[in-house]
Amino acid sequence: MHPAVEHLTEIIPPGAPRRSRDWATAEHQLGTLLPEDYKELVETYGGGVFDETIRLLDPQCPDEDYKPLAQATARAEILADLRQSEAKPTEPQNESEAQVLPRAIEESGAYLYWLRRPGQKPNEWSRAE
């Protein structure tokens, strides 16, 4: 188990038994592998609202609005529109190829993303908000 997830389970014991997800299908649909700690977190606690604050996206959530693929598609369209209509700062070299992928939604409506840079493996992605 990833050390961060293990530590979290010591502080906040999971309420339900661990349930596997079909990560191969989810990753195929997204076109990328996902970080191991995220997969362990979702399998340990499930998707949905965590600590009444953050809604983890879950590939097997019955509500399409909280599935990673649905959010990745919707957020990519919204962000593309913003890039066309808003001035953006000068990007460092190679940052133009970086992408964001949503991983959770705060109850305030803010999205939590991974920042995916070319050549990085999923466990190396930065967390962006």
Side-chain angles (χ1 to χ4, degrees):
M1 184 176 280
H2 189 276
V5 177
E6 184 175 3
H7 182 66
L8 188 59
T9 62
E10 293 169 3
I11 298 168
I12 305 169
R18 187 177 173 102
R19 194 182 76 167
S20 296
R21 304 298 195 267
D22 183 357
W23 293 111
T25 298
E27 291 170 332
H28 177 74
Q29 291 172 338
L30 287 167
T32 185
L33 298 175
L34 293 167
E36 292 301 317
D37 60 345
Y38 165 75
K39 293 189 282 190
E40 287 183 17
L41 185 65
V42 171
E43 287 189 355
T44 300
Y45 290 97
V49 179
F50 186 83
D51 194 30
E52 299 179 17
T53 307
I54 296 174
R55 179 173 289 278
L56 293 174
L57 300 181
D58 181 347
Q60 293 183 343
C61 181
D63 186 337
E64 282 294 319
D65 289 340
Y66 298 108
K67 289 186 175 183
L69 180 61
Q71 284 303 321
T73 302
R75 302 314 300 167
E77 291 172 9
I78 291 167
L79 293 172
D81 289 345
L82 277 174
R83 284 187 191 104
Q84 291 178 1
S85 63
E86 298 289 327
K88 64 179 182 176
T90 304
E91 296 176 4
Q93 187 175 9
N94 295 330
E95 286 298 302
S96 63
E97 296 176 23
Q99 299 174 326
V100 292
L101 181 65
R103 59 189 160 96
I105 306 168
E106 290 184 353
E107 286 302 301
S108 67
Y111 284 78
L112 304 177
Y113 295 91
W114 287 293
L115 178 61
R116 303 167 29 196
R117 292 184 172 97
Q120 282 186 325
K121 294 179 180 160
N123 293 336
E124 299 170 337
W125 295 345
S126 301
R127 273 63 174 170
E129 296 160 13

